Amino acid sequence: MPGVQDAERLARIYSAQARTYAEHWSPIIRTAGRRLLESLPSREAKRILDIGTGAGAHLLDLRRLAPHSWILGVDRSAGMLELASAHGLPLALMDGMDLALRDEGFDLAVMIFVLFHLDDPVVALRNVRRVLRPGGMLGTVTWAEDPDPQASRLWEAEIDALGASDPDPIPRKHELMNTTDKVAALLADAGLTPLRLWLERLEHTWSVDSLVALHTGYGRLKRKLDSLDPGTREAFLGRIRGRLAALGPEAFHYRAITVCSVASRPA
């Protein structure tokens, strides 16, 4: 079953890289998620579901926005949930494709940078529709554009020249949801009513140290780095810092665009 195998592999990868993700990547993308959450009627919701909660960064935002709501975070990665447990909110180890939750149990659900990881986005959204009460709402964030900055492209070109490869590439379905029209179509196919869709810019400027910490601890470039023998890896890391230090600030500027959506389950 390829879908199940992909989900298990994704969970294993995220568990192994959870701490670096939480320290160096989650704070960057949290900005886009927070913008979505602030557009939702969180305070009115009695029960909220955060699907793909990861290390739980958005649990804190939800608690701030909905101080009297019961909030549940679910994720497939045990390593991520271990970090999320520090926030003191209910958690469950659960696949977004197979929510083991009762029908019509939630007023609000969010899927922030999650939908493109799931084997069948429409099936996943239908499952979310099932657990929402009639009139309940769903908020999502996906990528429209997620280009690497120049410094990351230099890192990858140099490591590829050494014969590095990603032994465990993560399948993503960005092309199915990288425009507002595509996301609206997925929501409608799942029986949800799109209410609002928009694009948000996401920008961040890395330092040499923070970019090195990211690429040595999380993501595709970390997996490529790990594919090198120890001697080659050490020599590369010693050399790449000098190459990065010679670049100007613009080379470290990350510019992405996200697709945000709000939909409802028909009453």
Side-chain angles (χ1 to χ4, degrees), residues 139-236:
T140 72
V141 182
T142 60
W143 293 110
E145 299 177 13
D146 182 26
D148 289 328
Q150 179 189 346
S152 295
R153 297 197 301 272
L154 172 65
W155 177 297
E156 186 156 29
E158 295 225 354
I159 202 170
D160 284 353
L162 297 173
S165 61
D166 183 354
D168 225 353
I170 297 175
R172 293 183 174 93
K173 299 175 175 62
H174 294 306
E175 71 284 354
L176 298 180
M177 56 198 76
N178 57 4
T179 70
T180 54
D181 287 345
K182 289 178 181 179
V183 173
L186 291 174
L187 293 167
D189 286 349
L192 295 162
T193 302
L195 300 177
R196 182 182 174 217
L197 297 102
W198 70 98
L199 301 178
E200 289 272 7
R201 293 190 178 276
L202 179 62
E203 298 191 26
H204 177 73
T205 300
W206 301 95
S207 66
V208 172
D209 287 344
S210 63
L211 193 72
V212 169
L214 178 73
H215 292 334
T216 56
Y218 169 73
R220 179 184 76 255
L221 298 186
K222 183 262 195 300
R223 296 191 298 274
K224 285 190 172 187
L225 181 67
D226 289 348
S227 75
L228 299 175
D229 67 79
T232 303
R233 183 164 62 246
E234 183 177 355
F236 167 77

Side-chain angles (χ1 to χ4, degrees), residues 30-233:
R30 183 181 178 186
T31 303
R34 188 183 291 125
R35 291 171 187 160
L36 171 76
L37 296 179
E38 290 172 350
S39 74
L40 296 169
S42 306
R43 189 172 292 274
E44 302 166 14
K46 294 180 180 178
R47 293 171 60 87
I48 300 175
L49 177 63
D50 182 11
I51 302 166
T53 193
H58 291 302
L59 295 176
L60 298 176
D61 296 320
L62 286 166
R63 172 51 71 224
R64 173 177 56 84
L65 293 166
H68 304 298
S69 301
W70 187 80
I71 301 167
L72 174 65
V74 303
D75 203 282
R76 189 71 164 75
S77 166
M80 287 289 192
L81 290 181
E82 183 178 354
L83 297 180
S85 66
H87 303 315
L89 291 172
L91 300 170
L93 185 66
M94 196 176 298
D95 193 329
M97 287 293 298
D98 186 21
L99 296 173
L101 299 166
R102 64 182 177 86
D103 294 358
E104 302 182 5
F106 291 87
D107 305 291
L108 176 66
V110 295
M111 304 177 78
I112 300 173
F113 297 116
V114 174
L115 192 57
F116 46 78
H117 281 312
L118 301 180
D119 186 49
D120 189 324
V122 172
V123 171
L125 289 169
R126 286 174 182 160
N127 210 0
V128 177
R129 180 186 184 278
R130 176 185 61 78
V131 302
L132 284 175
R133 64 166 177 78
M137 300 182 72
L138 167 67
T140 72
V141 182
T142 60
W143 293 110
E145 299 177 13
D146 182 26
D148 289 328
Q150 179 189 346
S152 295
R153 297 197 301 272
L154 172 65
W155 177 297
E156 186 156 29
E158 295 225 354
I159 202 170
D160 284 353
L162 297 173
S165 61
D166 183 354
D168 225 353
I170 297 175
R172 293 183 174 93
K173 299 175 175 62
H174 294 306
E175 71 284 354
L176 298 180
M177 56 198 76
N178 57 4
T179 70
T180 54
D181 287 345
K182 289 178 181 179
V183 173
L186 291 174
L187 293 167
D189 286 349
L192 295 162
T193 302
L195 300 177
R196 182 182 174 217
L197 297 102
W198 70 98
L199 301 178
E200 289 272 7
R201 293 190 178 276
L202 179 62
E203 298 191 26
H204 177 73
T205 300
W206 301 95
S207 66
V208 172
D209 287 344
S210 63
L211 193 72
V212 169
L214 178 73
H215 292 334
T216 56
Y218 169 73
R220 179 184 76 255
L221 298 186
K222 183 262 195 300
R223 296 191 298 274
K224 285 190 172 187
L225 181 67
D226 289 348
S227 75
L228 299 175
D229 67 79
T232 303
R233 183 164 62 246

